[in-house]
Amino acid sequence: MKLQQLSLFLENKPGRLQEACEAFGAAGVNVETMSLVEAGDFGILRALVKEPAKALDALKDRFTVKTSNVLAIQTDDAPGALAKALALFDVDESINIEYMYGFTSRNNVTAIVLSVNKPDAALALLQQGGIKLLNSETLFG
């Protein structure tokens, strides 16, 4: 259960984030969650949307944008629960978590989004370990 994430590379200057948000809106695409990180003169806006192909089509002429596969998991709301899930990757030390972020969906599902270098291998380990993987229907309705 991989999700397709959009990554937009934005100049780190006033108004550029607003332009990206306006482009999503003009395309009729609701952003379910987003994360923005600063990278010097640029920022990386990562977004999950219900219709990634529609969003990509609307954004590709105005922004440098790419898609990538990410995993969304649900863990218990308890101390050490995320650490327990991540420990499953100890079986395959070649799996690297590149970044992660959390959010609560409109369906009131709390998710941790993981970007890993080997999504298929990570997916298999998470499934074997009994970690609940979330799909777009669960998250976005």
Side-chain angles (χ1 to χ4, degrees):
M1 288 181 253
K2 294 179 261 184
L3 299 173
Q4 196 170 50
Q5 175 186 261
L6 298 164
S7 295
L8 286 77
F9 300 88
L10 306 174
E11 298 90 355
N12 193 359
K13 65 180 188 179
R16 196 64 173 145
L17 176 59
Q18 179 184 351
E19 290 174 34
C21 292
E22 287 172 350
F24 280 114
V29 174
N30 187 49
V31 177
E32 304 294 338
T33 189
M34 68 171 61
S35 170
L36 178 64
V37 295
E38 181 267 336
D41 292 337
F42 289 86
I44 303 170
L45 174 68
R46 295 184 174 106
L48 291 179
V49 300
K50 191 173 183 177
E51 300 172 284
K54 181 178 178 181
L56 179 61
D57 190 52
L59 298 167
K60 66 184 178 185
D61 292 335
R62 294 181 55 196
F63 302 93
T64 301
V65 59
K66 73 171 198 164
T67 60
S68 58
N69 289 318
V70 294
L71 306 175
I73 64 171
Q74 187 174 27
T75 62
D76 292 334
D77 184 10
L82 180 58
K84 182 179 176 183
L86 298 178
L88 295 170
F89 297 142
D90 290 347
V91 172
D92 184 347
E93 292 182 3
S94 70
I95 297 174
N96 184 47
I97 298 170
E98 297 166 340
Y99 59 86
M100 65 183 224
Y101 56 93
F103 76 101
T104 301
S105 75
R106 69 170 94 175
N107 296 334
N108 207 31
V109 175
T110 302
I112 303 293
V113 177
L114 302 170
S115 174
V116 295
N117 63 329
K118 294 183 174 181
D120 291 329
L123 181 63
L125 287 173
L126 291 166
Q127 287 175 324
Q128 290 168 9
I131 300 301
K132 184 173 183 178
L133 290 142
L134 305 167
N135 60 27
S136 60
E137 183 63 30
T138 301
L139 291 171
F140 312 138

